[in-house]
Amino acid sequence: MNKLILSTAALCALPGQGDAAEIGKSQTILRNGEFPTARGSDQFFTGSVRVEQLYPANNDMRSSVGVVTFEPGARSNWHIHPVGQALIVTSGVG
């Protein structure tokens, strides 16, 4: 089954950036699996970590979306995200 991820700029409109009708004039359709799964960088992770990019950052949006899978014993190295980060834990214990 191919899952579509739909993204419009209106979904990420911030206060003071105009109304959603002006911002959300384009739409991007990304197919599941469009971006290859990669090994997590040693700069950001220890142990066996897989990163599946779902939506890359681009000039219009600074955010990106990915699914990160940690094998037992793998960890995230300390690092910062200057504009913040949202984590959604779908299974396991963090």
Coordinates of all heavy atoms in Angstrom, one line a residue:
M1 N 0.8 -1.2 0.0 CA 0.0 0.0 0.0 C 0.9 1.2 0.0 O 1.8 1.4 0.8 CB -0.9 0.0 1.2 CG -1.5 1.3 1.6 SD -2.7 1.4 2.9 CE -1.8 0.8 4.3
N2 N 0.7 2.2 -0.9 CA 1.4 3.4 -0.9 C 0.6 4.4 -0.1 O -0.6 4.7 -0.3 CB 1.5 4.0 -2.4 CG 2.7 3.4 -3.1 OD1 3.6 2.9 -2.4 ND2 2.7 3.5 -4.4
K3 N 1.3 5.0 0.9 CA 0.7 6.0 1.7 C 1.1 7.4 1.2 O 2.3 7.5 0.9 CB 1.1 5.8 3.2 CG 0.6 6.8 4.1 CD 0.9 6.5 5.6 CE 2.3 6.8 5.9 NZ 2.6 6.6 7.3
L4 N 0.2 8.3 1.1 CA 0.6 9.7 0.7 C 0.7 10.6 1.9 O -0.2 10.5 2.8 CB -0.4 10.2 -0.3 CG -0.5 9.6 -1.6 CD1 -1.6 10.2 -2.4 CD2 0.8 9.6 -2.4
I5 N 1.7 11.4 1.9 CA 1.9 12.4 3.0 C 1.6 13.7 2.3 O 2.4 14.1 1.3 CB 3.2 12.3 3.6 CG1 3.4 11.0 4.3 CG2 3.4 13.5 4.6 CD1 4.9 10.7 4.7
L6 N 0.6 14.4 2.7 CA 0.3 15.7 2.0 C 0.7 16.8 2.9 O 0.5 16.8 4.1 CB -1.2 15.8 1.8 CG -1.8 14.7 0.9 CD1 -3.3 14.9 0.8 CD2 -1.2 14.7 -0.5
S7 N 1.3 17.8 2.4 CA 1.8 18.9 3.2 C 1.5 20.2 2.5 O 1.7 20.3 1.3 CB 3.3 18.8 3.4 OG 3.9 19.9 3.9
T8 N 0.9 21.2 3.2 CA 0.7 22.5 2.6 C 1.3 23.5 3.6 O 1.4 23.3 4.8 CB -0.7 22.8 2.4 OG1 -1.4 22.9 3.7 CG2 -1.4 21.8 1.5
A9 N 1.8 24.6 3.0 CA 2.4 25.6 3.9 C 1.4 26.1 4.9 O 1.8 26.6 6.0 CB 2.9 26.8 3.0
A10 N 0.1 26.1 4.6 CA -0.9 26.6 5.5 C -0.9 25.8 6.8 O -1.2 26.3 7.9 CB -2.3 26.5 4.9
L11 N -0.5 24.6 6.8 CA -0.4 23.8 8.0 C 0.6 24.3 9.0 O 0.6 24.0 10.2 CB -0.1 22.3 7.7 CG -1.2 21.6 6.9 CD1 -0.7 20.2 6.5 CD2 -2.5 21.5 7.7
C12 N 1.6 25.0 8.5 CA 2.7 25.5 9.3 C 2.8 27.0 9.4 O 3.8 27.6 9.8 CB 4.1 25.0 8.7 SG 4.2 23.2 8.7
A13 N 1.7 27.6 9.1 CA 1.6 29.1 9.2 C 1.9 29.5 10.7 O 1.3 29.0 11.6 CB 0.3 29.6 8.7
L14 N 2.7 30.5 10.8 CA 3.0 31.0 12.2 C 2.3 32.4 12.3 O 2.1 33.1 11.3 CB 4.5 31.2 12.4 CG 5.3 29.9 12.3 CD1 6.8 30.2 12.3 CD2 5.0 28.9 13.4
P15 N 2.0 32.8 13.6 CA 1.4 34.1 13.8 C 2.3 35.2 13.1 O 3.5 35.1 13.2 CB 1.4 34.2 15.3 CG 1.4 32.8 15.8 CD 2.2 32.0 14.8
G16 N 1.6 36.1 12.5 CA 2.3 37.2 11.9 C 2.8 36.9 10.5 O 3.4 37.8 9.9
Q17 N 2.6 35.7 9.9 CA 3.0 35.4 8.6 C 1.9 35.5 7.5 O 2.1 35.0 6.4 CB 3.6 34.0 8.6 CG 4.9 33.9 9.3 CD 5.6 32.5 9.1 OE1 4.9 31.5 8.8 NE2 6.9 32.5 9.1
G18 N 0.8 36.1 7.8 CA -0.2 36.2 6.9 C -1.3 35.1 7.1 O -1.1 34.3 7.9
D19 N -2.4 35.2 6.4 CA -3.4 34.2 6.7 C -3.2 33.0 5.8 O -2.5 33.0 4.8 CB -4.8 34.9 6.6 CG -5.5 34.8 5.2 OD1 -4.9 34.1 4.3 OD2 -6.6 35.4 5.1
A20 N -3.8 31.9 6.3 CA -3.6 30.6 5.7 C -4.0 30.5 4.2 O -3.3 29.8 3.4 CB -4.3 29.5 6.5
A21 N -5.0 31.3 3.8 CA -5.4 31.3 2.4 C -4.3 31.8 1.5 O -4.1 31.4 0.4 CB -6.7 32.1 2.3
E22 N -3.5 32.8 2.0 CA -2.4 33.3 1.2 C -1.2 32.4 1.2 O -0.6 32.2 0.2 CB -1.9 34.7 1.8 CG -2.9 35.8 1.7 CD -2.5 37.0 2.4 OE1 -1.3 37.0 2.9 OE2 -3.2 38.0 2.5
I23 N -1.0 31.7 2.3 CA 0.2 30.9 2.4 C 0.1 29.5 1.7 O 0.9 29.0 1.1 CB 0.6 30.7 3.9 CG1 1.0 32.0 4.5 CG2 1.8 29.7 4.0 CD1 1.1 32.0 6.0
G24 N -1.1 28.9 1.9 CA -1.3 27.5 1.4 C -1.7 27.4 0.0 O -2.6 26.7 -0.3
K25 N -1.0 28.0 -0.9 CA -1.4 28.0 -2.3 C -0.7 26.8 -3.1 O -1.0 26.6 -4.2 CB -1.1 29.3 -3.0 CG -2.0 30.4 -2.5 CD -1.8 31.7 -3.3 CE -2.7 32.7 -2.6 NZ -3.4 33.6 -3.5
S26 N 0.3 26.2 -2.4 CA 0.9 25.1 -3.1 C 0.8 23.8 -2.3 O 0.5 23.9 -1.1 CB 2.4 25.4 -3.3 OG 3.1 25.4 -2.1
Q27 N 0.9 22.7 -2.9 CA 0.8 21.4 -2.2 C 1.9 20.5 -2.8 O 2.2 20.5 -3.9 CB -0.6 20.8 -2.5 CG -0.9 19.6 -1.8 CD -2.3 19.1 -1.9 OE1 -2.9 19.4 -3.0 NE2 -2.8 18.5 -0.9
T28 N 2.5 19.8 -1.8 CA 3.5 18.8 -2.2 C 3.0 17.4 -1.8 O 2.5 17.2 -0.7 CB 4.8 19.1 -1.4 OG1 5.2 20.4 -1.7 CG2 5.9 18.1 -1.8
I29 N 3.2 16.5 -2.8 CA 2.8 15.1 -2.5 C 4.1 14.3 -2.5 O 4.8 14.3 -3.5 CB 1.8 14.6 -3.6 CG1 0.5 15.4 -3.5 CG2 1.6 13.1 -3.3 CD1 -0.4 15.1 -4.6
L30 N 4.3 13.6 -1.4 CA 5.5 12.7 -1.2 C 5.0 11.3 -1.0 O 4.1 11.1 -0.3 CB 6.3 13.2 0.0 CG 6.8 14.6 0.0 CD1 7.5 14.9 1.3 CD2 7.8 14.9 -1.1
R31 N 5.6 10.4 -1.7 CA 5.2 9.0 -1.6 C 6.1 8.3 -0.6 O 7.2 8.6 -0.4 CB 5.4 8.3 -3.0 CG 4.6 8.9 -4.1 CD 4.3 7.9 -5.2 NE 3.5 8.6 -6.2 CZ 2.2 8.7 -6.1 NH1 1.5 8.3 -5.1 NH2 1.5 9.3 -7.1
N32 N 5.4 7.4 0.2 CA 6.1 6.6 1.2 C 7.3 5.9 0.6 O 7.1 5.3 -0.5 CB 5.1 5.7 1.8 CG 5.7 5.0 3.0 OD1 6.5 5.5 3.7 ND2 5.2 3.8 3.3
G33 N 8.4 6.0 1.2 CA 9.6 5.3 0.6 C 10.3 6.1 -0.4 O 11.3 5.6 -1.0
E34 N 9.9 7.4 -0.7 CA 10.6 8.2 -1.7 C 12.0 8.5 -1.3 O 12.9 8.6 -2.1 CB 9.8 9.5 -1.8 CG 10.3 10.4 -2.9 CD 9.4 11.6 -3.2 OE1 8.2 11.5 -3.0 OE2 9.9 12.6 -3.7
F35 N 12.3 8.6 0.0 CA 13.6 8.9 0.5 C 14.2 7.6 1.1 O 13.5 7.0 1.9 CB 13.6 10.0 1.5 CG 13.0 11.3 1.0 CD1 11.7 11.6 1.2 CD2 13.8 12.1 0.2 CE1 11.1 12.8 0.7 CE2 13.2 13.3 -0.4 CZ 11.9 13.6 -0.1
P36 N 15.4 7.3 0.8 CA 16.0 6.0 1.4 C 16.2 6.1 2.9 O 16.5 7.1 3.4 CB 17.3 5.9 0.6 CG 17.7 7.2 0.2 CD 16.4 8.0 0.0
T37 N 16.1 4.9 3.5 CA 16.4 4.8 4.9 C 17.9 4.8 5.1 O 18.6 4.2 4.3 CB 15.8 3.5 5.5 OG1 14.4 3.6 5.4 CG2 16.1 3.4 7.0
A38 N 18.4 5.5 6.0 CA 19.9 5.6 6.2 C 20.3 5.3 7.6 O 19.5 5.4 8.6 CB 20.4 7.0 5.9
R39 N 21.5 4.9 7.8 CA 22.1 4.7 9.1 C 22.2 6.0 9.8 O 22.6 7.0 9.2 CB 23.5 4.0 9.0 CG 24.1 3.7 10.3 CD 25.5 3.1 10.1 NE 26.1 2.8 11.3 CZ 26.7 3.6 12.1 NH1 26.8 4.9 11.8 NH2 27.3 3.2 13.2
G40 N 21.8 6.0 11.1 CA 21.9 7.3 11.9 C 23.4 7.7 12.0 O 24.3 6.9 12.3
S41 N 23.6 9.0 11.8 CA 25.0 9.5 11.9 C 25.6 9.4 13.3 O 25.0 9.6 14.3 CB 24.9 11.0 11.6 OG 26.1 11.7 11.9
D42 N 26.9 9.0 13.3 CA 27.6 8.9 14.6 C 27.7 10.2 15.3 O 27.9 10.3 16.5 CB 29.1 8.4 14.3 CG 29.1 6.9 13.9 OD1 28.1 6.2 14.1 OD2 30.1 6.5 13.3
Q43 N 27.5 11.3 14.6 CA 27.5 12.6 15.2 C 26.3 12.8 16.1 O 26.4 13.4 17.2 CB 27.5 13.7 14.1 CG 27.5 15.1 14.7 CD 27.4 16.2 13.6 OE1 27.4 15.9 12.4 NE2 27.3 17.4 14.0
F44 N 25.2 12.1 15.8 CA 23.9 12.3 16.6 C 23.5 11.1 17.3 O 22.6 11.2 18.2 CB 22.8 12.8 15.6 CG 23.1 14.0 14.9 CD1 23.3 14.1 13.5 CD2 23.2 15.2 15.6 CE1 23.6 15.2 12.9 CE2 23.5 16.4 14.9 CZ 23.7 16.4 13.6
F45 N 24.0 9.9 17.0 CA 23.6 8.7 17.6 C 24.7 7.7 18.0 O 25.8 7.8 17.4 CB 22.6 7.9 16.7 CG 21.5 8.7 16.2 CD1 21.5 9.3 15.0 CD2 20.4 8.9 17.0 CE1 20.4 10.0 14.5 CE2 19.3 9.7 16.6 CZ 19.3 10.2 15.3
T46 N 24.5 6.9 19.0 CA 25.4 5.8 19.3 C 24.6 4.5 19.1 O 23.4 4.4 19.3 CB 25.9 5.8 20.7 OG1 24.9 5.7 21.6 CG2 26.7 7.1 20.9
G47 N 25.3 3.4 18.7 CA 24.6 2.2 18.5 C 23.9 2.1 17.1 O 24.1 3.0 16.2
S48 N 23.1 1.1 16.9 CA 22.4 0.9 15.6 C 21.1 1.7 15.6 O 20.1 1.4 16.3 CB 22.1 -0.6 15.4 OG 21.5 -0.8 14.2
V49 N 21.1 2.7 14.7 CA 19.9 3.6 14.5 C 19.6 3.7 13.0 O 20.5 3.9 12.2 CB 20.2 5.0 15.1 CG1 19.0 5.9 14.9 CG2 20.5 4.9 16.6
R50 N 18.3 3.6 12.7 CA 17.9 3.8 11.3 C 17.1 5.1 11.2 O 16.2 5.3 12.1 CB 17.1 2.6 10.8 CG 17.9 1.4 10.6 CD 17.1 0.2 10.0 NE 15.7 0.1 10.5 CZ 15.4 -0.6 11.7 NH1 16.4 -1.1 12.4 NH2 14.2 -0.7 12.1
V51 N 17.3 5.9 10.2 CA 16.5 7.1 10.0 C 15.8 7.1 8.6 O 16.5 6.9 7.6 CB 17.4 8.4 10.0 CG1 16.6 9.7 9.8 CG2 18.2 8.4 11.4
E52 N 14.5 7.1 8.7 CA 13.7 7.2 7.5 C 13.2 8.6 7.3 O 12.4 9.0 8.1 CB 12.5 6.2 7.6 CG 11.7 6.2 6.3 CD 10.4 5.3 6.5 OE1 10.2 4.7 7.6 OE2 9.6 5.3 5.5
Q53 N 13.7 9.3 6.3 CA 13.3 10.7 6.0 C 11.9 10.6 5.4 O 11.7 10.0 4.4 CB 14.3 11.3 5.1 CG 14.0 12.8 4.9 CD 14.4 13.6 6.1 OE1 15.5 13.5 6.6 NE2 13.6 14.5 6.5
L54 N 10.9 11.3 6.0 CA 9.6 11.4 5.4 C 9.4 12.7 4.7 O 8.7 12.7 3.7 CB 8.5 11.2 6.5 CG 8.5 9.9 7.3 CD1 7.3 10.0 8.3 CD2 8.3 8.8 6.3
Y55 N 9.9 13.8 5.2 CA 9.8 15.1 4.6 C 11.1 15.9 4.9 O 11.4 16.1 6.1 CB 8.6 15.8 5.2 CG 8.3 17.1 4.6 CD1 7.6 17.3 3.4 CD2 8.8 18.3 5.2 CE1 7.4 18.5 2.9 CE2 8.6 19.5 4.6 CZ 7.9 19.6 3.5 OH 7.7 20.9 2.9
P56 N 11.8 16.3 3.9 CA 13.0 17.0 4.1 C 12.8 18.5 4.3 O 11.8 19.0 3.8 CB 13.8 16.8 2.8 CG 12.8 16.6 1.8 CD 11.6 15.9 2.5
A57 N 13.7 19.1 5.0 CA 13.6 20.6 5.1 C 13.9 21.2 3.8 O 14.7 20.6 3.0 CB 14.6 21.1 6.2
N58 N 13.3 22.3 3.5 CA 13.6 23.0 2.2 C 13.6 24.5 2.4 O 13.5 25.0 3.5 CB 12.6 22.5 1.1 CG 11.2 22.9 1.5 OD1 10.9 23.9 2.0 ND2 10.3 21.9 1.2
N59 N 13.7 25.3 1.3 CA 13.7 26.7 1.5 C 12.4 27.3 2.0 O 12.4 28.4 2.6 CB 14.0 27.4 0.1 CG 15.4 27.1 -0.3 OD1 16.3 26.9 0.6 ND2 15.7 27.1 -1.6
D60 N 11.3 26.6 1.8 CA 10.0 27.1 2.3 C 9.7 26.8 3.7 O 9.0 27.5 4.4 CB 8.8 26.6 1.4 CG 8.9 27.1 0.0 OD1 9.4 28.2 -0.2 OD2 8.6 26.3 -0.9
M61 N 10.2 25.6 4.2 CA 10.0 25.2 5.5 C 11.3 24.7 6.1 O 12.0 23.9 5.5 CB 9.0 24.0 5.5 CG 7.6 24.4 5.1 SD 6.5 23.0 5.0 CE 6.4 22.6 6.7
R62 N 11.6 25.1 7.3 CA 12.9 24.7 8.0 C 12.7 23.4 8.7 O 13.7 22.8 9.1 CB 13.3 25.8 9.0 CG 13.7 27.1 8.4 CD 14.2 28.1 9.4 NE 13.1 28.3 10.4 CZ 13.3 29.1 11.4 NH1 14.4 29.7 11.6 NH2 12.3 29.3 12.3
S63 N 11.5 22.9 8.8 CA 11.3 21.7 9.5 C 11.4 20.5 8.6 O 11.3 20.6 7.4 CB 9.9 21.6 10.2 OG 8.9 21.7 9.2
S64 N 11.7 19.3 9.2 CA 11.7 18.1 8.5 C 11.0 17.0 9.3 O 10.8 17.2 10.5 CB 13.2 17.6 8.1 OG 13.9 17.4 9.3
V65 N 10.6 15.9 8.7 CA 10.0 14.9 9.5 C 10.7 13.5 9.1 O 11.0 13.3 8.0 CB 8.5 14.7 9.1 CG1 7.8 13.6 9.8 CG2 7.8 16.1 9.4
G66 N 11.0 12.8 10.2 CA 11.6 11.5 9.9 C 11.2 10.5 11.0 O 10.7 10.9 12.1
V67 N 11.3 9.2 10.7 CA 11.1 8.1 11.7 C 12.4 7.6 12.0 O 13.2 7.2 11.2 CB 10.2 7.0 11.1 CG1 10.0 5.9 12.0 CG2 8.8 7.6 10.7
V68 N 12.7 7.6 13.3 CA 14.0 7.1 13.8 C 13.8 5.9 14.6 O 13.0 5.9 15.6 CB 14.7 8.2 14.7 CG1 16.1 7.7 15.2 CG2 14.9 9.5 13.9
T69 N 14.5 4.8 14.3 CA 14.3 3.5 14.9 C 15.6 3.2 15.6 O 16.7 3.1 15.0 CB 14.0 2.4 13.9 OG1 12.8 2.8 13.2 CG2 13.7 1.1 14.6
F70 N 15.5 3.0 17.0 CA 16.7 2.7 17.8 C 16.7 1.2 18.1 O 15.7 0.7 18.6 CB 16.6 3.4 19.1 CG 16.7 4.9 19.0 CD1 15.6 5.7 18.7 CD2 18.0 5.5 19.2 CE1 15.8 7.1 18.6 CE2 18.1 6.9 19.1 CZ 17.0 7.7 18.8
E71 N 17.7 0.5 17.8 CA 17.9 -0.9 18.2 C 18.2 -0.9 19.7 O 18.6 0.1 20.2 CB 19.0 -1.6 17.4 CG 18.6 -1.7 15.9 CD 17.4 -2.6 15.6 OE1 17.2 -3.6 16.3 OE2 16.7 -2.2 14.7
P72 N 18.0 -2.1 20.4 CA 18.3 -2.1 21.8 C 19.7 -1.6 22.1 O 20.7 -2.0 21.4 CB 18.2 -3.6 22.1 CG 17.2 -4.1 21.2 CD 17.5 -3.3 19.9
G73 N 19.8 -0.7 23.1 CA 21.1 -0.2 23.5 C 21.5 1.1 22.7 O 22.5 1.8 23.1
A74 N 20.9 1.4 21.7 CA 21.2 2.6 20.9 C 20.7 3.8 21.6 O 19.7 3.8 22.3 CB 20.6 2.5 19.5
R75 N 21.4 4.9 21.4 CA 21.1 6.2 22.1 C 21.2 7.4 21.2 O 22.0 7.3 20.2 CB 22.0 6.4 23.3 CG 22.0 5.3 24.4 CD 20.7 5.5 25.3 NE 20.8 4.5 26.4 CZ 20.2 3.3 26.4 NH1 19.7 2.9 25.3 NH2 20.3 2.5 27.4
S76 N 20.6 8.5 21.6 CA 20.9 9.7 20.9 C 22.0 10.5 21.6 O 22.0 10.6 22.8 CB 19.6 10.6 21.0 OG 19.8 11.8 20.4
N77 N 23.0 11.0 20.8 CA 24.0 11.8 21.4 C 23.4 13.2 21.7 O 22.5 13.6 21.0 CB 25.2 12.0 20.4 CG 26.1 10.8 20.4 OD1 26.2 10.0 21.4 ND2 26.8 10.6 19.3
W78 N 24.0 13.8 22.7 CA 23.5 15.2 23.1 C 23.7 16.1 21.9 O 24.8 16.2 21.3 CB 24.2 15.7 24.3 CG 23.8 17.1 24.6 CD1 24.5 18.2 24.5 CD2 22.5 17.5 25.1 NE1 23.8 19.3 24.8 CE2 22.5 18.9 25.2 CE3 21.3 16.9 25.5 CZ2 21.5 19.7 25.7 CZ3 20.3 17.6 25.9 CH2 20.3 19.0 26.0
H79 N 22.7 16.8 21.4 CA 22.8 17.8 20.4 C 21.5 18.7 20.5 O 20.6 18.4 21.3 CB 22.9 17.2 19.0 CG 21.7 16.4 18.6 ND1 21.5 15.1 19.0 CD2 20.6 16.7 17.8 CE1 20.4 14.6 18.5 NE2 19.8 15.6 17.8
I80 N 21.6 19.9 19.9 CA 20.5 20.8 20.0 C 19.8 21.0 18.6 O 20.4 20.7 17.6 CB 21.0 22.2 20.5 CG1 22.0 22.8 19.6 CG2 21.6 22.1 21.9 CD1 22.3 24.3 19.9
H81 N 18.6 21.5 18.7 CA 17.8 21.9 17.5 C 17.5 23.4 17.7 O 16.6 23.7 18.5 CB 16.6 21.0 17.4 CG 16.9 19.6 17.1 ND1 16.9 19.0 15.9 CD2 17.2 18.6 18.0 CE1 17.2 17.8 15.9 NE2 17.4 17.5 17.2
P82 N 18.2 24.3 17.1 CA 18.0 25.7 17.3 C 16.6 26.2 17.2 O 16.2 27.1 17.9 CB 18.9 26.4 16.3 CG 19.9 25.3 15.9 CD 19.2 24.0 16.1
V83 N 15.7 25.6 16.4 CA 14.3 26.1 16.3 C 13.4 25.1 16.9 O 12.2 25.2 16.7 CB 13.9 26.4 14.8 CG1 14.7 27.5 14.3 CG2 14.1 25.1 14.0
G84 N 13.9 24.2 17.7 CA 13.0 23.2 18.5 C 12.9 21.9 17.8 O 13.4 21.7 16.7
Q85 N 12.3 21.0 18.5 CA 12.1 19.6 18.0 C 10.8 19.1 18.6 O 10.5 19.3 19.8 CB 13.3 18.7 18.3 CG 13.1 17.3 17.8 CD 14.3 16.4 18.2 OE1 14.9 16.6 19.3 NE2 14.7 15.5 17.4
A86 N 10.0 18.3 17.8 CA 8.9 17.6 18.3 C 9.2 16.1 18.2 O 9.5 15.7 17.1 CB 7.6 18.0 17.5
L87 N 9.0 15.4 19.3 CA 9.2 14.0 19.3 C 7.9 13.3 19.5 O 7.2 13.6 20.4 CB 10.2 13.6 20.4 CG 11.6 14.2 20.3 CD1 12.4 13.8 21.6 CD2 12.3 13.7 19.1
I88 N 7.6 12.3 18.7 CA 6.4 11.5 18.8 C 6.9 10.0 19.0 O 7.4 9.4 18.1 CB 5.5 11.6 17.6 CG1 5.1 13.1 17.4 CG2 4.2 10.7 17.8 CD1 4.4 13.4 16.1
V89 N 6.7 9.5 20.2 CA 7.1 8.2 20.5 C 6.0 7.2 20.2 O 4.9 7.3 20.7 CB 7.6 8.0 22.0 CG1 8.0 6.6 22.3 CG2 8.7 9.0 22.3
T90 N 6.2 6.3 19.2 CA 5.1 5.4 18.7 C 5.2 4.1 19.4 O 4.2 3.3 19.4 CB 5.2 5.3 17.2 OG1 6.4 4.8 16.8 CG2 4.9 6.6 16.5
S91 N 6.4 3.7 19.9 CA 6.5 2.4 20.7 C 7.8 2.5 21.4 O 8.7 3.2 21.2 CB 6.4 1.2 19.7 OG 7.5 1.2 18.9
G92 N 7.9 1.6 22.4 CA 9.1 1.5 23.2 C 9.1 2.4 24.4 O 8.1 3.0 24.7
V93 N 10.3 2.5 25.0 CA 10.4 3.3 26.2 C 11.6 4.3 25.9 O 12.6 3.9 25.4 CB 10.8 2.4 27.4 CG1 11.0 3.3 28.6 CG2 9.6 1.5 27.6
G94 N 11.4 5.5 26.3 CA 12.5 6.5 26.1 C 13.0 7.1 27.4 O 12.5 6.9 28.4

